């Protein structure tokens, strides 16, 4: 274990942390950061879907109090892989996830489950008033105003981990940082939030070749190393669409205040443009340890184990408008954002089904857009006033999306 350089007041006890989705890309990076600062952080619980081998390794290395697996079978296998004298308590199922996210002993929850599966435990952390490090953007996309209202009601401290939103957060005044989702951007002189995106691996591919692209090619992101679902979303730029919706809620944006820019180098992680002509940007390596460390230590800063940017080696930084023919998913998400909560909840569900089918070799890359657009057109607008209503629409949309996937299915 590497011992970092951070110091903290002697009297303060370490922050107790739960990591939802510990075996994933964000989860592992979070473990890396906290392992470098043992005087600041203490691991309370970790969770995973079904990756028993990796979870067993994490349990032995980091010794959390609880380890939660998605199903009984995986939990049993994990128990069998742990030494007989292990003190890690293995739990299973949806309620256990909610419990480790909301336990009285927990200070901080890293929400890093991918997709809609993260909604309930993330909301549990919010409702319990925790410091919530939000990587699981789908939870916010699905629940929008309900999520923001729950933060306000419980007094939870919300910190964005998605690199763009973390960058924007860093560029905004403290008054906005402490009132996420409710601050008035115009009142603090913000004109535009400029969300940057690299364009993914197919930015320069001839359009006629898009349809044949394989899951391996779609997951080979030029700048970032991430889980498979978000990698495909980056290739379609639906990820930027989800981030647009995420930014709308986190920063309480009007349509005229939110713009997307293509920036292939992923050095400027996003920017804020003010009425006086100033633009503030956050720059850094394409390494999620930076926003994770910022979220963990806010309002202080700690060593994230990330190399300093060497400006003599950067070369050019380019910016351009997004090509809507190459990336139709982005406009679909932007339109959904302003149509209403039903539209973004449905788009998220349709996309999860379509991406899973693409990764399973059942859909062509370009069919992801077709399925999402058709499903959105097939869903009737409805008002979503509760988590139950959101979950119900998510399930209905998945059923409709499966039918549309079947029409395109390759095998
Ligand atoms: P990943 O696929 O690498 O990891 C996902 C984690 O969620 C794993 O621990 C997995 O076991 C768990 N999980 C998956 N399905 C589950 C289920 N049904 N029930 C319980 N647990 C489940 O994903 P990732 O790249 O780490 O992304 C996690 C989240 O963070 C996503 O919402 C993504 O959009 C967001 N995010 C990731 C990055 C990145 O660099 N990886 C950057 C910004 C935002
Ligand atoms: Mg991002």
């Amino acid at each position: 274990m590497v011992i970092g350089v951070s110091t903290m007041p002697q009297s303060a006890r370490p922050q107790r942390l739960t990591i939802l989705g510990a075996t994933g890309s964000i989860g592992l990076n979070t473990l890396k950061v906290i392992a470098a600062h043992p005087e600041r952080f203490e691991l309370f619980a970790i969770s995973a879907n079904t990756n028993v081998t990796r979870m067993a390794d994490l349990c032995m290395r980091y010794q959390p109090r609880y380890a939660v697996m998605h199903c009984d079978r995986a939990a049993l296998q994990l128990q069998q892989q742990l030494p007989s004298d292990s003190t890690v308590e293995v739990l299973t199922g949806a309620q256990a996830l909610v419990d480790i996210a909301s336990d009285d002993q927990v200070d901080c929850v890293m929400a890093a489950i991918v997709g809609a599966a993260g909604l309930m435990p993330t909301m549990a952390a919010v409702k319990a008033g925790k410091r919530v490090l939000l990587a699981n953007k789908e939870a916010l996309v699905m629940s929008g105003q309900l999520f923001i209202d729950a933060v306000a009601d419980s007094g939870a401290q919300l910190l964005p981990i998605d690199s763009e939103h973390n960058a924007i957060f860093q560029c905004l005044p403290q008054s906005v940082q402490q009132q996420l989702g409710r601050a008035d951007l115009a009142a603090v002189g913000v004109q535009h939030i400029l969300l940057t995106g690299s364009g993914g691996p197919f930015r320069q591919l001839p359009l006629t070749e898009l349809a044949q692209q394989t899951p391996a090619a779609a997951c080979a992101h030029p700048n970032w190393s991430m889980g498979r679902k978000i990698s495909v979303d980056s290739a379609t730029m639906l990820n930027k669409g989800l981030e647009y919706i995420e930014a709308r809620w986190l920063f309480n944006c009007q349509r005229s205040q939110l713009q997307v820019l293509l920036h292939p180098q992923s050095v400027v992680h996003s920017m804020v443009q003010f009425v006086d002509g100033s633009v503030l940007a956050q720059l850094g390596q394409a390494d999620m340890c930076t926003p994770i460390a910022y979220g963990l230590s806010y309002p202080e800063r700690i060593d994230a184990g990330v190399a300093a940017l060497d400006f003599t080696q950067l070369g050019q930084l380019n910016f351009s408008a997004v090509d809507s023919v190459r990336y139709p998913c982005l406009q679909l998400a932007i339109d959904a954002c302003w149509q209403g909560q039903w539209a973004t909840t449905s788009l998220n569900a349709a996309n999860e089904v379509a991406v899973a089918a693409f990764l399973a070799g059942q859909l062509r890359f370009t069919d992801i857009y077709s399925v999402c657009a058709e499903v959105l057109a097939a869903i009737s607008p409805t008002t979503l006033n509760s988590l139950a209503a959101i979950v119900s629409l998510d399930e209905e949309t998945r059923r409709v999306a499966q039918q549309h996937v079947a029409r395109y299915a390759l095998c």
Side-chain angles (χ1 to χ4, degrees):
M1 187 181 286
V2 183
I3 305 296
V5 295
S6 67
T7 54
M8 63 182 309
Q10 286 299 311
S11 56
R13 68 164 176 79
Q15 265 192 76
R16 234 170 257 140
L17 191 72
T18 284
I19 304 177
L20 302 169
T23 52
S25 164
I26 294 287
L28 294 174
N29 277 323
T30 306
L31 286 164
K32 200 166 109 186
V33 175
I34 67 167
H37 301 278
E39 75 291 0
R40 279 183 173 263
F41 307 108
E42 186 184 305
L43 195 57
F44 180 76
I46 57 179
S47 86
N49 194 17
T50 52
N51 191 337
V52 173
T53 308
R54 187 172 285 173
M55 194 63 158
D57 176 52
L58 297 182
C59 285
M60 288 187 271
R61 214 159 1 135
Y62 297 105
Q63 299 291 327
R65 245 186 266 177
Y66 299 102
V68 177
M69 299 303 294
H70 179 62
C71 61
D72 291 348
R73 194 159 156 264
L76 189 66
Q77 287 171 352
L78 176 61
Q79 193 73 67
Q80 286 163 352
Q81 288 196 22
L82 292 177
S84 55
D85 61 350
S86 166
T87 57
V88 180
E89 195 172 325
V90 178
L91 305 170
T92 179
Q95 185 56 45
L97 273 186
V98 165
D99 291 344
I100 59 166
S102 56
D103 193 289
D104 281 349
Q105 296 182 61
V106 173
D107 302 305
C108 176
V109 175
M110 167 56 83
I113 290 176
V114 60
L119 176 65
M120 287 307 185
T122 304
M123 274 300 239
V126 167
K127 287 183 177 173
K130 305 299 182 195
R131 179 183 179 104
V132 179
L133 309 189
L134 184 70
N136 178 209
K137 67 192 87 184
E138 295 91 344
L140 182 55
V141 166
M142 288 175 78
S143 62
Q145 192 66 55
L146 278 177
F147 191 104
I148 295 301
D149 289 348
V151 171
D153 290 347
S154 70
Q157 184 175 28
L158 187 58
L159 289 155
I161 297 304
D162 214 346
S163 59
E164 296 76 4
H165 306 75
N166 190 274
I168 294 159
F169 183 93
Q170 294 196 40
C171 296
L172 286 169
Q174 206 183 36
S175 62
V176 178
Q177 294 179 344
Q178 288 171 356
Q179 276 227 310
L180 275 195
R182 288 170 291 141
D184 179 351
L185 288 180
V188 293
V190 172
Q191 195 172 39
H192 298 118
I193 282 182
L194 305 174
L195 202 56
T196 55
S198 71
F202 304 148
R203 185 173 54 88
Q204 291 175 308
L205 199 75
L207 289 176
T208 50
E209 292 177 25
L210 275 179
Q212 303 92 276
Q213 295 308 307
T214 62
C219 289
H221 196 283
N223 306 335
W224 297 93
S225 162
M226 308 182 285
R228 282 163 71 76
K229 190 259 179 186
I230 184 176
S231 295
V232 176
D233 287 350
S234 299
T236 59
M237 278 194 92
L238 194 91
N239 180 53
K240 209 50 57 186
L242 298 178
E243 291 182 356
Y244 180 99
I245 299 162
E246 184 185 11
R248 178 256 168 118
W249 290 115
L250 284 175
F251 307 117
N252 193 22
C253 297
Q254 306 296 313
R255 191 168 193 161
S256 60
Q257 291 171 321
L258 198 45
Q259 297 176 3
V260 180
L261 273 178
L262 211 63
H263 167 49
Q265 293 86 5
S266 300
V267 170
V268 173
H269 296 314
S270 279
M271 301 181 268
V272 178
Q273 199 160 38
F274 292 85
V275 281
D276 62 1
S278 301
V279 180
L280 298 188
Q282 188 261 0
L283 284 70
Q285 305 279 5
D287 187 329
M288 289 306 293
C289 287
T290 296
I292 289 168
Y294 182 84
L296 284 167
S297 64
Y298 176 85
E300 297 169 25
R301 289 187 187 260
I302 56 173
D303 185 351
V306 176
L309 261 192
D310 180 351
F311 281 83
T312 65
Q313 300 299 312
L314 273 187
Q316 286 188 341
L317 297 182
N318 303 98
F319 300 91
S320 61
V322 180
D323 173 356
S324 59
V325 176
R326 182 178 295 276
Y327 301 110
C329 285
L330 175 61
Q331 194 58 50
L332 195 64
I334 291 174
D335 291 342
C337 180
W338 304 108
Q339 274 168 347
Q341 186 59 61
W342 68 272
T344 58
T345 304
S346 290
L347 175 60
N348 180 66
N351 181 55
E352 284 192 31
V353 170
V355 170
F358 169 69
L359 286 171
Q362 295 163 357
L363 278 189
R364 294 180 310 169
F365 179 73
T366 43
D367 296 337
I368 296 172
Y369 166 75
S370 308
V371 167
C372 289
E374 288 170 11
V375 170
L376 264 185
I379 296 288
S380 307
T382 176
T383 306
L384 300 174
N385 287 329
S386 65
L387 273 185
I390 284 168
V391 171
S392 162
L393 181 61
D394 174 80
E395 288 170 357
E396 182 199 337
T397 307
R398 282 167 200 270
R399 280 192 293 277
V400 175
Q402 291 295 1
Q403 291 163 6
H404 284 262
V405 164
R407 289 184 25 218
Y408 287 89
L410 299 172
C411 53

